[in-house]
Amino acid sequence: QAEVVRSQAEAMQAQVSSYLNRARIAAQRDSVLARCEAEPVLERLVRVMRRLNPQIDFTLDVAPGLAFAMEQQDVEETVGNLLENAARFAKTRVTVMAAPAAHEPETAGEGARRGWIDVTVEDDGPGLAPEQIGEALKRGKRLDESKPGTGLGLSIVKEISSEYQGSFGLSRAPIGGLKAALVLPAVTRDTA
């Protein structure tokens, strides 16, 4: 019973933190003060994952000069959740890429005045069937109970990207497993 109570208390704490973060993001979404250089934060996340998962080959490819128009903790939470999931299910390989987005997401609000960054995290694990993808994005839903986790990670990624008017989707990765694709706001010359 103690384990169940502890687990549910952790899930509730994660939900409260998520809602507080969403309120903070909404309050500063249109501010140009939020800025996070892409390369150093993504390198740091990948370096941590390499230490925690030495059996997995992590590859990082970041286009030069990219900066997110986001708080660093939000970038770390979104990409960090995706990296944790990829590492949990990967056989031997995870790739992370960040590049200027070819187009703005459909979720971008009217009059969006910024550029966008495509961030993809791919693994060579089992992936998900198309019908499982919708289930995986539901809050608290875990498709594999044999792996640790609360089932909140992907829903948090979806909520944070949505709060920044970006987008998040899952599909089959070219390397065989799951591809998580984020489109997040970029600092551009006219917003810098």
Side-chain angles (χ1 to χ4, degrees), residues 112-157:
R113 64 188 194 322
R114 55 175 57 118
W116 299 90
I117 299 173
D118 283 331
V119 178
T120 59
V121 177
E122 300 177 359
D123 67 70
D124 65 348
L128 294 174
E131 61 274 6
Q132 292 176 304
I133 289 175
E135 285 297 305
L137 295 175
K138 291 181 180 173
R139 177 173 287 282
K141 187 68 174 178
R142 292 175 54 204
L143 298 180
D144 186 350
E145 296 290 330
S146 70
K147 304 277 186 186
T150 60
L152 297 174
L154 293 179
S155 66
I156 289 170
V157 171

Side-chain angles (χ1 to χ4, degrees), residues 19-80:
Y19 288 116
L20 290 174
N21 281 339
R22 288 177 68 192
R24 178 186 46 77
I25 291 167
Q28 63 192 32
R29 176 179 20 218
D30 294 322
S31 168
V32 294
L33 299 177
R35 179 187 180 100
C36 174
E37 299 297 325
E39 192 166 15
V41 74
L42 295 177
E43 280 180 354
R44 193 169 42 258
L45 287 168
V46 168
R47 189 170 48 248
V48 168
M49 295 308 294
R50 284 178 179 142
R51 279 192 211 126
L52 294 173
N53 305 279
Q55 75 285 6
I56 297 174
D57 177 32
F58 286 86
T59 304
L60 175 64
D61 181 13
V62 181
L66 293 180
F68 295 102
M70 298 172 64
E71 293 290 332
Q72 180 174 325
Q73 70 187 43
D74 295 329
V75 174
E76 290 172 344
E77 189 161 11
T78 54
V79 179

